[in-house]
Amino acid sequence: MLLQIPEVLSADAVAYFRKRLESADWVDGRVTAGYESAKVKRNTQLPEESEVALELGDLILTALEGNKLFISAALPSRVFPPLFNRYGPGNGFGAHVDNAIRQGLDAETRIRTDLSCTLFLSGPEEYDGGELAIDDTYGTHHVKLAAGDMVLYPSTSLHAVTPVTRGQRIASFFWLQSMIRDDGQRTLLFDLDRAIQGLSADLPDHASVVPLTGIYHNLIRRWADL
Ligand code: NI
């Protein structure tokens, strides 16, 4: 499932992020790339241990904890601390698949990457190119969202960032391990949850709301690992 999550950050929050990121120290993005992806990656990043990255990353995680659409779609178990990247003219990231396992700075932060997230911090009017191109069974999707919006997609996908030809594309990117490892099962649960939410909003006293909610939770019980 490929899902856009609007307004993860407010306009005020985006402005604060941009101000903090302007004065930060950026390094070559190949520091977090695997052997194959390093060959096709051209951008800059904040180092993982950067104070700015840690501060802003925490703000993103707090925003996501309160985001119902994100929780319903991702059913997160563990989220990797968000990282930040910047693509200027001539930068891009060729087709690659993200590493399956991500080791954080401390020993406990090791996750299986089930879902990849890109949170846009530059508006589409600020740069040309720089689209996130994600392949799935229905073809290639080109994603370029408003500042503050996020896209969530399976980490199994082949994806690329097309070359930037003008301006700067600044984003946060990170991965998460879901309680539901399988994308198909997770998508079914998301669809079921949305259908139940719709039914209970329109017909709150409908006799099927409780049993359907029971089915939702019993499927999670069957499929989840924590
Ligand atoms: Ni990637």
Side-chain angles (χ1 to χ4, degrees):
M1 174 197 6
L2 191 154
L3 182 73
Q4 296 181 12
I5 303 180
E7 291 172 45
V8 169
L9 296 178
S10 66
D12 284 350
V14 170
Y16 176 73
F17 273 56
R18 291 289 295 271
K19 202 168 140 238
R20 294 288 282 133
L21 290 167
E22 237 164 60
S23 57
D25 289 324
W26 296 82
V27 298
D28 191 313
R30 281 170 281 196
V31 284
T32 57
Y35 176 75
E36 282 302 321
S37 39
K39 294 184 204 163
V40 291
K41 185 174 186 182
R42 297 292 175 268
N43 67 4
T44 52
Q45 283 180 200
L46 290 194
E48 278 181 75
E49 67 279 12
S50 143
E51 226 173 82
V52 176
L54 294 170
E55 179 210 330
L56 301 182
D58 278 348
L59 291 176
I60 292 173
L61 296 183
T62 302
L64 288 174
E65 276 166 25
N67 190 307
K68 285 186 184 149
L69 183 60
F70 168 76
I71 299 291
S72 173
L75 293 168
S77 169
R78 277 181 285 170
V79 186
F80 197 83
L83 299 170
F84 296 84
N85 61 16
R86 187 177 66 179
Y87 294 81
N91 287 166
F93 198 165
H96 66 281
V97 172
D98 294 342
N99 287 359
I101 307 290
R102 278 279 162 190
Q103 176 69 56
L105 291 172
D106 52 71
E108 298 102 73
T109 349
R110 187 170 65 169
I111 67 158
R112 182 189 64 233
T113 57
D114 294 324
L115 284 165
S116 300
C117 312
T118 296
L119 171 57
F120 289 77
L121 295 170
S122 300
E125 69 287 353
E126 294 182 76
Y127 59 98
D128 292 328
E131 294 175 352
L132 179 60
I134 305 165
D135 284 2
D136 72 10
T137 47
Y138 297 102
T140 303
H141 303 269
H142 292 266
V143 182
K144 187 169 178 173
L145 303 180
D149 291 4
M150 190 173 98
V151 62
L152 196 66
Y153 60 99
S155 302
T156 48
S157 317
L158 193 66
H159 59 278
V161 175
T162 64
V164 168
T165 55
R166 175 190 67 88
Q168 278 197 338
R169 175 201 194 267
I170 298 172
S172 174
F173 66 104
F174 51 99
W175 304 271
L176 65 91
Q177 180 169 321
S178 174
M179 291 187 283
I180 309 297
R181 177 181 196 146
D182 181 78
D183 187 60
Q185 290 176 336
R186 198 184 320 107
T187 302
L188 271 178
L189 288 167
F190 178 59
D191 291 344
L192 179 57
D193 188 29
R194 297 240 281 195
I196 295 169
Q197 298 300 329
L199 177 63
S200 68
D202 291 346
L203 302 165
D205 300 322
H206 195 285
S208 294
V209 170
V210 170
L212 282 169
T213 305
I215 292 168
Y216 174 76
H217 285 286
N218 289 332
L219 286 172
I220 291 186
R221 218 182 310 280
R222 182 171 283 245
W223 291 336
D225 53 344
L226 301 176

